[in-house]
Amino acid sequence: AQVSGVQTEYGITELTSAPAGINLLPYQPSGWDNKIVLSTSTGTHTSTSPIFNTQTVYMDWAVINEGTTAFSTRFYTKVFVDGVQKAIYYTDGLASGAWAYVLDINLGTLTAGSHTIKIETDATTVVSETNETDNAYSRTITVYPYVNLTTYKPAGWDNKIVLSTVSG
């Protein structure tokens, strides 16, 4: 798998009740419509619906250290499409309550049908967490076939739309 450079940015959020220690998990920042945003344009945190098989899909994701303990260990977050790893990103630790995110990952076009997009943080289990069971998040979407409907003039018709005062 390809390891990408640091493409994360950091934000601080206030947690109302944080577990002791470190706990990494997928996160939905304020203003985002999901923990995984899937859109057909860059620069947005709102998912597109519907998505067609002719459109490029872009993905935003975020993870947070929900625990009370900061850490500096490099950890990895993997991105999967339909169970196949598409990318891996690293983050060099997070403060308590801090979150990291990656914007506008180009997933390319997806075939018509159902697709499951998943992120898994601390995918190599290098961080000792208070909860190791909440590191993954999946989202399933339907991609629709693009159909270009247009008017048509059958043979023997005088126009694409025939207006007549009689039936038949």
Side-chain angles (χ1 to χ4, degrees):
Q2 173 181 331
V3 176
S4 300
V6 176
Q7 296 184 25
T8 58
E9 295 179 44
Y10 299 92
I12 301 295
T13 186
E14 293 193 23
L15 299 173
T16 53
S17 69
I22 299 165
N23 189 34
L24 294 170
L25 65 153
Y27 177 64
Q28 182 177 340
S30 177
W32 291 30
D33 71 352
N34 201 295
K35 294 175 185 178
I36 295 175
V37 176
L38 299 169
S39 63
T40 56
S41 61
T42 59
T44 182
H45 304 304
T46 303
S47 298
T48 301
S49 183
I51 294 176
F52 295 100
N53 64 338
T54 56
Q55 296 175 299
T56 299
V57 178
Y58 299 95
M59 174 185 180
D60 300 344
W61 60 262
V63 295
I64 190 170
N65 176 8
E66 194 179 68
T68 58
T69 304
F71 68 100
S72 59
T73 304
R74 176 176 284 180
F75 68 95
Y76 295 87
T77 302
K78 293 180 180 180
V79 174
F80 298 87
V81 176
D82 298 327
V84 176
Q85 183 180 320
K86 293 295 183 180
I88 186 168
Y89 297 88
Y90 67 84
T91 306
D92 288 323
L94 284 173
S96 171
W99 48 281
Y101 59 92
V102 178
L103 304 177
D104 299 329
I105 299 169
N106 184 334
L107 297 179
T109 57
L110 300 175
T111 59
S114 181
H115 296 278
T116 300
I117 316 302
K118 176 178 143 181
I119 59 170
E120 182 182 339
T121 195
D122 193 24
T124 57
T125 62
V126 295
V127 179
S128 179
E129 299 179 65
T130 58
N131 184 352
E132 297 285 357
T133 64
D134 60 0
N135 290 1
Y137 177 77
S138 296
R139 179 170 182 195
T140 300
I141 62 166
T142 300
V143 174
Y144 296 92
Y146 178 76
V147 178
N148 184 13
L149 298 177
T150 186
T151 55
Y152 171 73
K153 179 184 165 213
W157 290 27
D158 65 355
N159 202 328
K160 294 177 183 178
I161 299 174
V162 177
L163 301 175
S164 176
T165 58
V166 295
S167 63

